[in-house]
Amino acid sequence: MNDSQKLIVNGCRRLEGELCVHGAKNSALPLLSAAVLAHGESVLHNCPALTDTDAACRILSHIGCKCRRSGDTVTVDASNVFGAEIPDSLMREMRSSIVFLGAMLGRTGHCRLSFPGGCDLGTRPIDLHLSALKQMGAAISEQHGFLECNAGKGLHGAKLVLSFPSVGATENILLASATAKGTTELHNAAREPEIADLADYLNKCGARIHGAGESVIVIEGVERLAPCEHSVIPDRIVAGTYLCAALITHGEVILTHCFPEHMNGFSQLFEAMGARIYTYGGGKMYVSGKKVNIAPPTIRTMPYPGFPTDIQAPFMALCTTAQGTSVFVETIFENRFRHVPELVRLGASVKTEGRVCVVQGVPRLTGAKVRAAELRGGAALVVAALAAEGTSEISGLQYIDRGYENIEGALRSIGADIKRV
Ligand code: EPZ
């Protein structure tokens, strides 16, 4: 637990250079759960080394899988999945542990787990997950915070309609229906790139999933899945965060190993602020922030392909020094402005009212002691500190390390004065 560690940032250094984007946390986590469905050894390349992926590997080991990491390759041998219970301590570590439910029911027909933990962004219920699995034949009872889930006779296909395109619920349905009897038709599915990546992996293992990335997904259940080798997609949120860092310092950066097409939901807004962006083949994206200083139009977070809620905080940090007023409307989570009081400590002018936040651009930020309270809010404090005059001290790194691999090393490689102490 690295609660005692801090990042020390001396701001006002223009970032310049080339930066490689690591694999996506929000794809690696469901992929690690999906490995449970494959009878044998799956190999995941470009799997980021994060505290969350470590937690997923601990769950896999707990239920009988053998996991080993070599660099950014993780091998999961799920030949013998014997466990059916995921201990409360492991469930509380991260929200994404809930997608082990669909995988376990698909593989063993039985699972006992508690409600998931993870960043506190609001209530974050799992009603959509549970109602879908019940419609597929799972018997689910809740006792003392634990969910007892049984599909003794195996799951069956169903026509499912999500009232909200939940990412986690869509992933759980894909995992549960891949080996269910019959066909599942999922309407109003989440369309995030991480969903398509999960479907790609499962189809390589022998599943029959059609339409992932669209609102309607059809899954023809198959008897059994075999292991495969797969490479995790790049992390569009990490890429977006590094772009905010480069632009707030008016820098010039080339991102490599990224998928610019996954960032359309926010890259145009960088251009509206005055950034110059070029994308060229081979997963490369050039950005220049020389002229970035115009506040963008109103930002409303939306499910993909809209403006991602996960980039809201780092993007807000960027807007704190833009000329004019920016308005943010957070439509996905009810409590995702916890970084605001910390940005104000750095000299920003930001006011919140419920799910609306108004940012009045200021000429400069100044260094201060600030604390991360969750993952993306923590990243926003790093972005702001890079532009702040003087020294900033950022604590709460256990949140930032959940989603950014060696953030200080990455930023130092393009000229930031940042170190972990
Ligand atoms: C995924 O969370 C991501 N996490 C989140 O990223 C991301 O913010 C979110 O999708 C939205 O894009 C991972 O992939 C591990 P949802 P998830 O189910 O699956 C409500 C980060 O910073 N809802 O799409 O939990 C829910 O309360 C993290 O990397 C229900 O009401 O998101 C929320 O308001 C943070 N009932 C909204 O839907 C349900 O059963 C979106 O949730 C499920 C969800």
Side-chain angles (χ1 to χ4, degrees):
M1 184 64 156
N2 46 29
D3 196 19
S4 61
Q5 294 182 336
K6 294 184 176 60
L7 288 176
I8 307 297
V9 183
N10 290 312
C12 294
R13 281 165 181 66
R14 196 167 167 275
L15 300 188
E16 279 181 315
E18 208 165 280
L19 188 49
C20 173
V21 175
H22 61 68
K25 166 182 81 80
N26 292 347
S27 193
L29 295 175
L31 287 169
L32 287 166
S33 310
V36 170
L37 288 167
H39 294 252
E41 199 170 81
S42 291
V43 180
L44 290 180
H45 300 291
N46 202 29
C47 186
L50 305 164
T51 51
D52 272 11
T53 48
D54 295 347
C57 288
R58 281 198 294 282
I59 293 177
L60 286 167
S61 309
H62 184 85
I63 59 175
C65 300
K66 295 196 188 65
C67 283
R68 60 180 194 281
R69 176 182 280 278
S70 158
D72 65 0
T73 295
V74 172
T75 305
V76 180
D77 184 349
S79 307
N80 304 310
V81 173
F82 54 71
E85 174 162 340
I86 302 178
D88 192 35
S89 56
L90 289 177
M91 284 301 294
R92 285 176 186 273
E93 279 197 47
M94 70 177 173
R95 164 87 187 175
S96 186
S97 46
I98 191 63
V99 293
F100 276 94
L101 177 54
M104 296 284 287
L105 284 177
R107 176 70 188 257
T108 69
H110 179 217
C111 187
R112 186 170 191 275
L113 40 66
S114 62
F115 283 84
C119 288
D120 172 10
L121 307 176
T123 50
R124 304 189 79 176
I126 55 170
D127 54 317
L128 300 176
H129 301 237
L130 302 183
S131 71
L133 293 170
K134 285 177 184 163
Q135 290 174 66
M136 296 177 68
I140 300 178
S141 61
E142 186 197 330
Q143 266 168 350
H144 315 303
F146 266 85
L147 292 166
E148 191 72 47
C149 314
N150 273 297
K153 299 194 203 69
L155 296 168
H156 56 72
K159 181 171 181 187
L160 305 169
V161 182
L162 291 177
S163 57
F164 181 88
S166 154
V167 173
T170 301
E171 291 164 347
N172 247 331
I173 292 165
L174 289 190
L175 293 166
S177 57
T179 54
K181 294 187 196 63
T183 300
T184 298
E185 224 181 86
L186 173 57
H187 294 259
N188 198 24
R191 300 165 55 194
E192 273 68 4
E194 294 77 24
I195 301 290
D197 202 26
L198 175 61
D200 284 353
Y201 166 82
L202 290 168
N203 283 343
K204 279 188 206 161
C205 295
R208 293 207 195 112
I209 302 174
H210 317 282
E214 304 302 318
S215 295
V216 179
I217 304 179
V218 176
I219 307 104
E220 294 165 52
V222 297
E223 189 71 26
R224 192 181 163 91
L225 296 183
C228 76
E229 202 158 336
H230 183 76
S231 191
V232 180
I233 57 172
D235 197 312
R236 60 198 167 97
I237 305 299
V238 167
T241 305
Y242 290 152
L243 292 180
C244 290
L247 296 175
I248 202 171
T249 66
H250 302 291
E252 214 168 354
V253 163
I254 295 176
L255 293 184
T256 64
H257 296 85
C258 67
F259 286 175
E261 63 277 19
H262 288 172
M263 295 188 253
N264 289 339
F266 55 87
S267 55
Q268 287 120 11
L269 285 167
F270 289 137
E271 290 174 311
M273 296 181 76
R276 271 192 308 122
I277 298 183
Y278 298 124
T279 60
Y280 34 105
K284 280 194 173 184
M285 191 176 201
Y286 162 87
V287 290
S288 163
K290 286 197 188 112
K291 296 204 173 66
V292 161
N293 66 356
I294 311 152
T298 297
I299 291 141
R300 192 180 296 281
T301 63
M302 297 293 280
Y304 192 89
F307 185 94
T309 172
D310 294 347
I311 209 78
Q312 174 254 98
F315 198 91
M316 185 185 293
L318 172 61
C319 295
T320 57
T321 56
Q323 281 171 11
T325 305
S326 329
V327 177
F328 287 75
V329 184
E330 175 53 61
T331 72
I332 309 291
F333 292 108
E334 64 265 43
N335 181 20
R336 199 160 206 184
F337 289 145
R338 299 169 67 198
H339 46 284
V340 168
E342 302 304 300
L343 288 176
V344 171
R345 280 171 182 260
L346 289 159
S349 166
V350 190
K351 294 210 173 29
T352 62
E353 183 62 44
R355 291 188 181 217
V356 177
C357 183
V358 178
V359 181
Q360 187 60 52
V362 294
R364 72 188 58 72
L365 300 174
T366 40
K369 283 190 178 180
V370 290
R371 182 172 182 76
E374 50 88 21
L375 167 58
R376 307 302 173 184
L381 302 181
V382 175
V383 169
L386 290 166
E389 285 174 4
T391 304
S392 299
E393 206 179 278
I394 304 170
S395 54
L397 304 191
Q398 69 272 29
Y399 297 108
I400 299 175
D401 292 340
R402 303 185 61 153
Y404 296 86
E405 203 179 273
N406 184 15
I407 193 167
E408 70 275 14
L411 291 169
R412 224 179 7 251
S413 74
I414 51 174
D417 181 345
I418 179 170
K419 64 176 183 281
R420 179 181 296 237
V421 296

